[in-house]
Amino acid sequence: MSSSNAQQGPAARQAAMAELVLADGSATAADLAERFGVSLMTIHRDLDELERQGVVRKFRGGVTAQPSGVFESNVQYRLKTMRAQKAAIAEHALGLVEPGMAVLLDDSTTALELARRLRRADITPLTVVTNFLEAINLLADRRGIRLMALGGDYDPLHSSFLGVSCVEAVQQLRVDVCFASTSAVHGGHAYHQEQHIVSVKRAMLDSAARNVLLVDHTKLGRVALHRVAPLARFDLLLVDDGASPEALRDLDEHKVPYEVCVTRPEEGGER
């Protein structure tokens, strides 16, 4: 470990540590102590601070950026995961969008993949409504798209606007279709870890004439702390072809309309 890394201040060290964990998914405290040239006690203080900020979650002997039933991953980590699968789902979802529509996108990274395709596609005129800063920045200069940015309290961990004012803004709208994702799907319900995210997603579902749920296969058969809505609230569920036969049978048993999207390895390459 270089002396410059060992001598850097806590804030800089924590930022570098967060970048490392977000890139690798997880790390042990011992490995981090060796990499950054500081004591285990110092590492645990750093990890406590990163956990307080919501960037990572600690487990015995280490730390992870991966989601759990009560922890939603940082947006920077989510942007790097399941990219080919999210691209396949977004490409399929693009076929549901027609000129003249008003489309609502939530702050999921799968919806962001759809925003990338809306930017490139010639499906105009189009109105796009979103609370996701990443999507706002992506579509802001796209001619032919009327962009409506939903305000609220900015949450840097999700790179989106949330809270009561965002919910109230959504409630004033009526769109043709809402494309949303959740962290988990199980037993006929969609779930998410965070209550303030759930309230915005529910408002979005209420404001749309048609709702489409975008989920990669890793979210099937999982639960999280809060129920977002029964799957009956969605007119269609799109999932990639990594979904197991058991997971698809569960959707069939709950009479969930779904379509399986074919994943192409090269789809994950573009950012």
Side-chain angles (χ1 to χ4, degrees), residues 245-267:
E246 293 78 14
L248 296 180
R249 276 199 298 272
D250 185 64
L251 296 179
D252 287 329
E253 289 173 4
H254 288 91
K255 297 180 172 54
V256 179
Y258 67 85
E259 295 177 7
V260 177
C261 312
V262 178
T263 302
R264 299 180 180 86
E266 68 273 14
E267 286 182 328

Side-chain angles (χ1 to χ4, degrees), residues 1-2 5-8 12-18 20 31-38 43 46:
M1 188 64 198
S2 70
N5 280 325
Q7 295 169 3
Q8 65 186 190
R13 184 176 60 249
Q14 289 163 14
M17 199 178 301
L20 176 69
D31 287 344
L32 292 172
E34 181 178 357
R35 180 181 289 262
F36 288 93
V38 295
I43 285 295
D46 288 340

Side-chain angles (χ1 to χ4, degrees), residues 115 117-121 123-129 138-148:
R117 283 152 179 76
L118 292 176
R119 177 179 172 83
R120 298 197 303 263
I123 309 176
T124 57
L126 194 67
T127 297
V128 177
V129 184
L138 186 69
L139 298 173
D141 62 351
R142 174 61 166 92
R143 299 185 67 176
I145 292 182
R146 178 192 179 197
L147 179 63
M148 297 181 65

